Amino acid sequence: MQVFTRNRSVPIFIGLLTLFTIGVTVMSEAYGAGLISVSFTKVLGMTLCLCLAALAMDLVWGYCGILSLGHFAFFGVGGYVIGMWLMTARTEAVVRANLEAAVIPPTQAEVSDATALQIFSVVGAEGWPWMWAASGSLFLTLLLIVLVPGALALVFGWLAFRSRVTGVYLSILTQAFTLALSLYLFQNDTGLRGNNGLSGLQNIPGADRFGQDQISVWFFWASALALGLSYVAAAWVVSGKFGSIVRGIRDDEQRVRFLGYRVEVFKLFVFTLTGILCGIAGALYYPQAGIINPDEIAPIASIYLAVWVAIGGRGRLYGAVIGAALVSLLSTYFTGGRAPDVNLGLFTIEWVDWWPVLLGLGFVLVTLFAPKGLGGLVDLLDRKKQS
Amino acid sequence: MPQRVHAQDDLQALLQDNAEMVADPSRRTVQEVLDILSESGLAMVPQFLSRWEAREVYQRDSDGVFVYVEDADADPLTLIDISTGAALGTATSREVTQLRPNGGVRRVISGALVQFQVAAEDPLQRATALDAIENRPDASHLPLLRARLEAETDPQLQDRLAIILPRLVITFAQDEAERIAAIQSLAGNVSLGARATLNPLLATELEVHAETPEGANIAEILTPGSGELSVDAAYQMLVDEGLAPALIPGSDRLAVLSANVVDGRVGGLPTATLDTEANRDQAYAALVAEGLAEPAPTAADIAASLAAYQFIEIYREPDQNITDAANEALGETEFNVGVFRFFDLSLDGISLASIYFLAAIGLAITFGVMGVINMAHGEFIMMGAYTGYVVQTAVSNYTLSIAIAIPLAFAVTFAAGVLMERSVIRWLYHRPLETLLATFGISIALQQIVRQIFGTQARPLTPPDWLAGSVVVNDVLAISSIRIGIFLLGVVFFLLLWGILNRTRLGLEVRAVTQNPRMAASMGINPDRINMLTFGLGSGIAGIAGVAIGLFSQVVPDMGSGYIVQSFMTVVVGGVGNVFGTLVGATMIGSLQKAIEWLNPSNTLAAQTYMILFVILFIQFRPRGIIALKGRAAGD
């Protein structure tokens, strides 16, 4: 409980998140007044997942000083892991339904073959790739959601920190890492369906009886829960002695090393932990998005993650959440065609087209004029109170 | 016989003697006429034959004289004497009959024509004759070509003869030694023609035999289950030959089982239990026992059948000496092909390296020298390419438009770079990681603005003709001119930048500001001005690279993002802070990627993936790149 007292933002954040969750539930179609559509519930749930990824990014960059431009790769990997299970289960159900009419019941091997055919014929492959070995088991899948991004982050981080790659070089290396992963996934013969990606992920096996309206709310709850728990965990990590060391590494790595701390171990811990958090966020995000493909892992996605954190304010956990929520919701608003066009007489600004320009210039302005991000506004409030 | 003597020196008279066979030839009779014509040795014969074949010879109905016409569409037709080429007056199309030899006859004629064409004065005609021989080789061509080989002076035709003649010898000569000599003459020749001549000699057929056949020219005895012959395929061969009973595929067995369901039971088992292979086998066996189904061979049956027969690859060519010689010759050829492939691959690697170098060299200055992470670097490349496109829409001469586009692209991106440095970058020199965020914002804004102006579809940037072709060394090795051009551009850039940085006042000041801006300032250098110029220079070079890259790849708004990560890696691998390092980095990355592509040629994505993984590992061992420097950039 020390976390709640030491980090004032934790009770406030948990309180707001609870209120928000209750509010959305009350207004949802399945459990309330129906003021929020199913698709918007999903958008909100997905936004919470992005906030979780941004929170992880803030830990690794804002607190530990590692500007990783590859954290969205872990997000995507988490999505792929859950996607394999969802797609297998869903396709198998369809295949079984198709084979039901036969006089003689199908063997297990026949069902498995037909499922594999259905999933992989699009890339011209037959049979199950080795990567899908765990896709039949929910338990293994849940385990792998943590293990695969964790292992990737551990190996990459170990390689990078061991040789003391820092600063800009590390950023470029992480960017190369995510590019390599995305190029790898783009290939048809890796067994992850190339650029087709995995689809139909919104169909949750065993939940056929419930409509998407209910499922969307469940995932929203799950996302809120994951974000809330991660926030508390992150607050615990950054407060206390451990947090001081981590921030010390950010501010002067050499000095912390001279004090006798094994800097590499701390960095590796934070890097791996945040990789896992991103993986969990991805595993919750893609069942709501319904589809995942290698484009999601492209380097640009990870840069966006960093930008959200920068806009919200580095080195403060709520900053990351604010930045991610704000930018992704604004993006949805402006690119969804709901924003009214601005008529300038000679020229009409259509936001679908001009939003990226505005967003880009926004990054520049925030970087130049608000290096502390929007979270810096909170400092101003604080100062006023004190004075 | 005075007439005969007369006939021998006048083509018309000669033709009149055989008028009927000329006017209405059959495949059989035409040979007779052709023999007479060739024996006559008249100079006009080849021309006559080619025009006869082309259906350009007419016969005047009134006196049966054979003529050419000046223009087949004119009316009346102007007739021309066959022997002298003089005008013979005119005739309406009703007064003459066009000779229309049928396809078979024309082929015989063109065959006869070849002997004249092969020795014709005009090399073009000789080439046509060689085409004809290549398409329809005939034993009669053999002596013709033999005679020609010594007389031929045109080197290109000599090369072709050197391949066609052996082919004819191999196909038509009777003497084994002569054929082997012909095969050996092609050894090591990498041209497609030579390989196409030798390869059919080694064509094999896979046959099933109970015993090793006597006297057959055996290439290889295959074991079922080895790489070349799967067990399934081998057994299927036995089935096809009627040597073994057919397998019952699972689907057929299922159909038989389904067809024999009685009261929910098949072969004594309830259908619901038939969801395992074992139960299905049992039910099927029961059906076989009742005589309701064909017996299916068991695994033991299959093994026994396979063991009883040999699977032998037999050469179609019965003579073993010939196949041995062909194998040896092809072995030599393959070695040479391998050598040329290696050259080809190396050149590919160099040209890819040149592209990476061009894309990265601007970054080597802005990132390497100044330490600014310019995520909009790719967009400067894109702006250069679009400048080239715009110039090309205005100037239709491609050579001229490229000549205008290169300095213009430099000017445009130099200005854009300076603008960006003045408005954004200079406030962030103390926060290098944040230049990344700001320039990323500029990058997405620029991309979208270009998308608004030019649309999303690819715009063409067409190279001039002299850059569009390729330099062909042989059938294996060819280099496209554009890649040579880009290589030369890369060399020029390298020398230019190296010169600027190491041999000019500006270069000295840039290096001074890079290493210690304060001290440089106290020595009277204006760091602001130097930073601005350096950034402009790096951006301008990206613009020129954009023109070059646009010439061979698509000009689209997001083309820059395809090069940005690669460019950063090139700079980092090479060693930040110097132009030479970028050259080394680009060479390493480019050739490495081509080498990996060679291992798995169908998959360039995999090559890129492995290349990046290699770079990540490489950084482990040289975190500061191949050529590490000291300075502001290297210090963080």
Side-chain angles (χ1 to χ4, degrees):
Chain A
M1 285 300 105
Q2 234 183 354
V3 172
F4 286 88
T5 49
R6 271 201 200 163
N7 199 325
R8 274 187 302 141
S9 79
V10 173
I12 301 174
F13 181 83
I14 297 297
L16 286 176
L17 186 65
T18 315
L19 282 179
F20 178 62
T21 311
I22 293 170
V24 170
T25 311
V26 170
M27 286 194 282
S28 70
E29 281 185 14
Y31 300 100
L35 292 170
I36 295 180
S37 68
V38 172
S39 62
F40 195 62
T41 314
K42 286 189 180 181
V43 167
L44 291 176
M46 280 150 65
T47 306
L48 291 183
C49 296
L50 295 177
C51 291
L52 173 51
L55 187 74
M57 183 71 197
D58 194 18
L59 270 186
V60 80
W61 181 32
Y63 286 92
C64 199
I66 306 166
L67 174 51
S68 160
L69 296 182
H71 257 54
F72 218 78
F74 305 122
F75 190 85
V77 167
Y80 263 99
V81 173
I82 190 99
M84 281 191 262
W85 174 68
L86 286 169
M87 199 167 180
T88 305
R90 170 72 186 163
T91 314
E92 197 177 299
V94 171
V95 164
R96 274 198 195 279
N98 284 342
L99 291 176
E100 214 147 67
V103 182
I104 292 170
T107 63
Q108 196 56 46
E110 277 170 351
V111 172
S112 170
D113 286 351
T115 309
L117 187 71
Q118 187 117 343
I119 296 179
F120 299 108
S121 61
V122 68
V123 287
E126 283 174 27
W128 292 100
W130 62 267
M131 270 181 228
W132 291 65
S135 71
S137 153
L138 177 58
F139 173 74
L140 283 180
T141 298
L142 292 178
L143 206 61
L144 288 182
I145 286 170
V146 174
L147 288 185
V148 176
L152 271 178
L154 191 70
V155 170
F156 181 86
W158 181 75
L159 283 174
F161 303 138
R162 188 190 65 107
S163 54
R164 300 205 181 158
V165 180
T166 53
V168 179
Y169 304 94
L170 187 67
S171 300
I172 289 165
L173 216 58
T174 50
Q175 198 179 25
F177 161 74
T178 181
L179 179 66
L181 190 63
S182 133
L183 289 173
Y184 177 77
L185 290 171
F186 263 118
Q187 298 164 43
N188 276 341
D189 52 4
T190 52
L192 287 166
R193 295 186 13 123
N195 61 354
N196 302 285
L198 310 180
S199 55
L201 310 186
Q202 72 278 23
N203 303 297
I204 313 301
D208 300 340
R209 292 172 285 133
F210 311 98
Q212 283 292 318
D213 55 340
Q214 280 171 297
I215 293 175
S216 63
V217 177
W218 297 349
F219 267 97
F220 177 82
W221 289 341
S223 308
L225 183 68
L227 179 60
L229 289 178
S230 305
Y231 196 92
V232 174
W236 179 76
V237 167
V238 299
S239 7
K241 192 180 170 195
F242 188 90
S244 305
I245 296 166
V246 167
R247 264 170 291 156
I249 291 172
R250 173 189 66 188
D251 296 334
D252 197 331
E253 190 178 322
Q254 288 299 334
R255 219 171 276 185
V256 176
R257 188 172 284 123
F258 291 142
L259 287 174
Y261 294 104
R262 294 186 62 192
V263 169
E264 280 68 38
V265 177
F266 283 89
K267 283 168 107 177
L268 193 56
F269 175 79
V270 174
F271 194 80
T272 309
L273 174 75
T274 56
I276 291 171
L277 285 182
C278 279
I280 293 171
L284 284 168
Y285 180 93
Y286 289 103
Q288 302 182 71
I291 184 165
I292 182 171
N293 62 49
D295 260 335
E296 305 281 322
I297 294 172
I300 196 164
S302 297
I303 303 179
Y304 269 112
L305 199 55
V307 167
W308 294 337
V309 174
I311 285 183
R314 267 173 298 160
R316 49 190 88 222
L317 296 173
Y318 54 89
V321 178
I322 292 172
L326 186 77
V327 179
S328 66
L329 284 179
L330 278 179
S331 285
T332 315
Y333 176 69
F334 280 112
T335 55
R338 269 177 289 211
D341 294 342
V342 179
N343 196 337
L344 297 177
L346 287 173
F347 183 79
T348 306
I349 294 181
E350 289 170 26
W351 284 118
V352 176
D353 292 331
W354 286 99
W355 164 245
V357 178
L358 187 71
L359 183 68
L361 296 180
F363 292 172
V364 178
L365 295 179
V366 167
T367 317
L368 285 182
F369 300 113
K372 288 183 170 178
L374 297 175
L377 297 174
V378 178
D379 289 356
L380 293 178
L381 285 175
D382 265 13
R383 222 170 289 154
K384 269 183 193 164
K385 258 189 226 163
Q386 281 164 10
S387 64
Chain B
M1 291 206 296
Q3 219 183 350
R4 186 76 184 157
V5 174
H6 178 69
Q8 277 173 343
D9 52 65
D10 180 26
L11 179 60
Q12 184 66 258
L14 194 62
L15 292 174
Q16 288 304 327
D17 284 348
N18 306 288
E20 208 170 304
M21 285 193 282
V22 174
D24 187 18
S26 73
R27 274 177 73 173
R28 199 168 40 78
T29 57
V30 74
Q31 193 59 51
E32 206 174 315
V33 180
L34 292 173
D35 287 345
I36 294 171
L37 287 174
S38 352
E39 276 164 28
S40 75
L42 289 171
M44 290 84 87
V45 168
Q47 195 200 3
F48 173 75
L49 289 180
S50 70
R51 301 193 75 158
W52 190 16
E53 187 209 353
R55 296 180 172 166
E56 287 172 357
V57 177
Y58 290 71
Q59 191 176 26
R60 192 153 62 188
D61 295 344
S62 56
D63 54 3
V65 169
F66 294 100
V67 293
Y68 305 140
V69 300
E70 200 172 73
D71 175 9
D73 295 326
D75 193 42
L77 296 159
T78 306
L79 306 184
I80 293 166
D81 189 281
I82 279 178
S83 309
T84 61
L88 269 183
T90 62
T92 65
S93 53
R94 286 158 174 259
E95 289 167 331
V96 293
T97 311
Q98 188 186 4
L99 303 190
R100 295 171 173 276
N102 66 33
V105 171
R106 283 163 67 198
R107 271 200 292 280
V108 179
I109 297 175
S110 78
L113 237 169
V114 162
Q115 62 176 304
F116 298 107
Q117 285 177 331
V118 159
E121 288 285 323
D122 181 8
L124 209 66
Q125 275 207 23
R126 299 205 295 271
T128 320
L130 291 185
D131 285 342
I133 293 174
E134 258 194 316
N135 291 335
R136 276 186 311 107
D138 186 276
S140 67
H141 296 144
L142 198 47
L144 285 176
L145 291 189
R146 279 210 176 111
R148 193 58 216 165
L149 184 61
E150 278 145 39
E152 187 57 68
T153 48
D154 186 307
Q156 224 176 334
L157 291 176
Q158 270 176 346
D159 287 350
R160 290 192 60 192
L161 269 175
I163 293 166
I164 298 173
L165 184 59
R167 177 183 293 184
L168 289 175
V169 171
I170 292 164
T171 319
F172 297 111
Q174 301 301 323
D175 181 25
E176 186 190 287
E178 197 183 358
R179 293 177 72 194
I180 289 176
I183 291 169
Q184 283 163 347
S185 77
L186 290 180
N189 191 324
V190 297
S191 75
L192 287 175
R195 281 182 276 165
T197 304
L198 292 179
N199 274 321
L201 289 175
L202 296 175
T204 57
E205 251 168 275
L206 183 58
E207 295 178 11
V208 182
H209 291 278
E211 282 160 27
T212 314
E214 288 280 320
N217 188 4
I218 293 172
E220 202 179 354
I221 297 178
L222 300 180
T223 328
S226 64
E228 293 117 55
L229 182 68
S230 70
V231 171
D232 289 352
Y235 191 77
Q236 192 55 44
M237 276 188 74
L238 292 180
V239 173
D240 291 344
E241 302 256 325
L243 300 172
L247 288 171
I248 311 286
S251 58
D252 286 7
R253 187 186 60 174
L254 202 59
V256 170
L257 289 174
S258 309
N260 287 294
V261 176
V262 182
D263 298 335
R265 298 177 82 82
V266 194
L269 287 170
T271 48
T273 62
L274 293 184
D275 57 356
T276 63
E277 288 292 326
N279 287 357
R280 285 183 184 184
D281 281 344
Q282 192 190 335
Y284 191 82
L287 288 180
V288 171
E290 289 174 47
L292 291 170
E294 294 280 323
T298 64
D301 294 341
I302 294 172
S305 305
L306 289 178
Y309 293 96
Q310 283 185 314
F311 298 85
I312 307 173
E313 281 204 320
I314 297 177
Y315 287 117
R316 292 212 188 108
E317 168 66 51
D319 188 336
Q320 200 190 342
N321 292 333
I322 298 282
T323 50
D324 284 352
N327 260 326
E328 199 176 319
L330 267 180
E332 206 169 312
T333 302
E334 265 159 32
F335 176 77
N336 285 357
V337 168
V339 170
F340 280 113
R341 286 250 163 85
F342 178 76
F343 276 121
D344 196 42
L345 196 73
S346 312
L347 290 172
D348 262 2
I350 289 173
S351 71
L352 188 67
S354 317
I355 293 162
Y356 284 163
F357 179 73
L358 279 184
I361 184 70
L363 207 62
I365 296 175
T366 55
F367 172 57
V369 178
M370 301 176 70
V372 174
I373 314 168
N374 181 12
M375 295 301 285
H377 178 77
E379 276 57 51
F380 288 145
I381 293 177
M382 178 264 290
M383 279 160 70
Y386 271 101
T387 308
Y389 162 72
V390 171
V391 172
Q392 242 176 29
T393 54
V395 182
S396 55
N397 182 324
Y398 289 150
T399 309
L400 186 62
S401 68
I402 297 295
I404 297 173
I406 288 181
L408 192 63
F410 182 84
V412 167
T413 47
F414 181 88
V418 167
L419 186 70
M420 195 165 110
E421 201 274 339
R422 288 288 87 187
S423 58
V424 178
I425 307 284
R426 71 164 154 160
W427 310 107
L428 301 172
Y429 281 123
H430 309 292
R431 298 183 274 159
L433 282 178
E434 281 169 47
T435 57
L436 185 154
L437 298 176
T439 52
F440 173 69
I442 294 171
S443 148
I444 57 173
L446 277 178
Q447 264 186 41
Q448 188 61 25
I449 290 170
V450 169
R451 215 172 271 139
Q452 290 295 302
I453 300 172
F454 293 100
T456 46
Q457 76 266 49
R459 296 292 172 175
L461 183 53
T462 320
D465 283 342
W466 51 271
L467 268 180
S470 57
V471 178
V472 178
V473 178
N474 58 34
D475 287 343
V476 182
L477 185 58
I479 322 144
S480 58
S481 311
I482 189 117
R483 296 194 165 232
I484 299 176
I486 283 174
F487 173 72
L488 293 178
L489 194 63
V491 171
V492 169
F493 269 27
F494 170 71
L495 294 177
L496 204 66
L497 281 178
W498 187 83
I500 288 177
L501 286 177
N502 292 299
R503 288 280 181 275
T504 65
R505 177 83 200 168
L506 177 69
L508 184 69
E509 293 183 3
V510 167
R511 282 179 290 145
V513 172
T514 301
Q515 292 194 358
N516 194 333
R518 282 177 182 212
M519 193 174 293
S522 65
M523 301 296 281
I525 298 169
N526 180 353
D528 248 20
R529 187 179 139 270
I530 293 297
N531 279 335
M532 183 181 81
L533 286 181
T534 317
F535 201 83
L537 180 67
S539 309
I541 287 168
I544 298 181
V547 177
I549 288 171
L551 285 175
F552 68 90
S553 75
Q554 290 190 321
V555 181
V556 286
D558 54 359
M559 65 185 286
S561 49
Y563 287 98
I564 188 77
V565 182
Q566 237 94 357
S567 300
F568 271 116
M569 282 196 304
T570 305
V571 175
V572 170
V573 164
V576 169
N578 71 67
V579 182
F580 190 64
T582 309
L583 182 72
V584 177
T587 310
M588 194 182 92
I589 290 186
S591 44
L592 188 75
Q593 182 168 335
K594 279 294 162 192
I596 301 172
E597 266 177 43
W598 176 70
L599 296 172
N600 184 7
S602 61
N603 203 335
T604 50
L605 285 178
Q608 286 187 39
T609 311
Y610 294 128
M611 195 269 293
I612 295 170
L613 291 183
F614 174 83
V615 168
I616 292 174
L617 285 177
F618 179 83
I619 300 287
Q620 298 302 306
F621 302 104
R622 286 200 77 94
R624 294 272 173 254
I626 300 171
I627 295 169
L629 278 195
K630 284 176 184 157
R632 185 172 69 180
D636 63 349

